[in-house]
Amino acid sequence: MSLYTTIHLHNVPSGREGDYAQWFDGRHRDDLARLRGFRSADRYAVTAEQIMPDIPQPWSFLSIYDFDYPAAEIDLPALGPLLAEVRDAGLIDDGAETERIYSYAMYGDWAFSPNHRTDQPFSGVSIILANFVAGREAEYHHWYDTVHAPEVTRVPGKVAMKRGRLSPVQVEPRRYCPGSDLVLCAQQTDDLLFTVKDFSARARGVSPSGVAFASRSAAGSFARTVHYFRKVSGTRFWPGGIAYDGDLSVYPADFARPVG
């Protein structure tokens, strides 16, 4: 068995958002449950808060599908007809050809930090469509596994990370992907602006926590795109607060936004 994640980045015609949500949490979940290796599916909406605001956010929604496949080359294509169904129903706005479906062979399952609240769902996720510098793949993975993933998932509100490599098996539409690797990070926070700002502050060594990220590995390419989303599917949602196994009182009241 091998872990695979498929991400579906898409837009929905204006006024049809409720129809899409009803399909996803109804018939679609029933159909997914019959697929061999199916583990979970959740849907997310793009957020106003982004770590790199100059990067375009051409998708309003993201669906994430997790599988443990006996044989990906046999089982992964079965997802294609289920996604074609919603496209055929007119619930995908692809007028600008923005729809993307990418499947990844995961290097491992979620690696959780001490921040993680095990009894609660994620509030949202961020994805990086990433690349490593040619000839430095081993260095890139070592840095992520031993340095970067642990420090990122200890940022207030960030709780887990998993990564994967673009699979040779894909479903339609097969369109250009800007990254060979997927970095998927989970959040548990009701103040994403706080989380994003402290991530940036730790990267620059100016966080009120006193924590500073290690220098970025030269094995990681700057050719990457970053996207944040909040959870909109299912019946359970993050109840509030910022998941953090540390002291939030060291942050000034106006750290994330001016005190009104």
Side-chain angles (χ1 to χ4, degrees):
M1 304 288 280
S2 299
L3 298 176
Y4 277 75
T5 292
T6 295
I7 61 173
H8 182 201
L9 296 150
H10 60 279
N11 294 303
V12 177
S14 179
R16 303 295 305 277
E17 294 84 358
D19 295 331
Y20 197 111
Q22 184 178 20
W23 168 81
F24 187 92
D25 281 327
R27 176 177 175 176
H28 189 48
R29 286 196 185 277
D30 293 339
D31 290 339
L32 288 168
R34 290 188 284 270
L35 294 185
R36 192 165 67 155
F38 174 70
R39 293 180 63 182
S40 65
D42 279 301
R43 191 161 173 265
Y44 302 84
V46 72
T47 60
E49 304 88 351
Q50 297 291 330
I51 192 75
M52 300 174 74
D54 56 321
I55 290 179
Q57 304 295 328
W59 312 286
S60 295
F61 297 100
L62 161 71
S63 299
I64 298 179
Y65 301 89
D66 289 325
F67 294 89
D68 194 356
Y69 285 131
E73 64 276 13
I74 295 173
D75 298 302
L76 197 160
L79 181 61
L82 302 189
L83 299 182
E85 176 184 283
V86 73
R87 194 179 304 115
D88 293 345
L91 292 178
I92 296 291
D93 179 1
D94 194 35
E97 296 190 349
T98 52
E99 184 184 13
R100 296 290 188 273
I101 305 173
Y102 302 135
S103 295
Y104 297 84
M106 305 307 289
Y107 300 122
D109 210 339
W110 288 112
F112 294 100
S113 77
N115 291 347
H116 182 230
R117 290 273 302 277
T118 60
D119 60 331
Q120 297 295 340
F122 298 153
S123 62
V125 296
S126 62
I127 64 170
I128 304 177
L129 305 180
N131 295 281
F132 50 81
V133 174
R136 303 183 71 172
E137 180 179 359
E139 181 184 351
Y140 171 81
H141 291 312
H142 180 75
W143 169 67
Y144 246 109
D145 291 341
T146 64
V147 178
H148 200 49
E151 65 187 4
V152 167
T153 57
R154 285 175 171 80
V155 172
K158 288 186 174 287
V159 300
M161 182 185 289
K162 61 180 176 178
R163 302 186 302 113
R165 170 66 60 84
L166 197 66
S167 169
V169 183
Q170 297 288 331
V171 299
E172 297 295 340
R174 302 187 188 198
R175 290 173 173 166
Y176 169 74
C177 181
S180 68
D181 278 51
L182 172 70
V183 180
L184 185 56
C185 195
Q187 281 79 242
Q188 289 181 321
T189 178
D190 64 356
D191 193 342
L192 184 57
L193 182 61
F194 183 102
T195 296
V196 166
K197 286 201 169 184
D198 197 45
F199 179 101
S200 177
R202 292 185 182 208
R204 292 179 287 115
V206 296
S207 169
S209 68
V211 177
F213 286 174
S215 298
R216 190 175 189 276
S217 172
S221 173
F222 284 99
R224 68 198 191 283
T225 67
V226 188
H227 315 271
Y228 277 77
F229 299 85
R230 60 181 174 84
K231 186 175 183 286
V232 295
S233 66
T235 58
R236 297 185 66 234
F237 295 90
W238 175 245
I242 301 173
Y244 184 47
D245 186 41
D247 184 7
L248 288 173
S249 70
V250 302
Y251 294 86
D254 62 350
F255 174 71
R257 53 178 59 82
V259 175

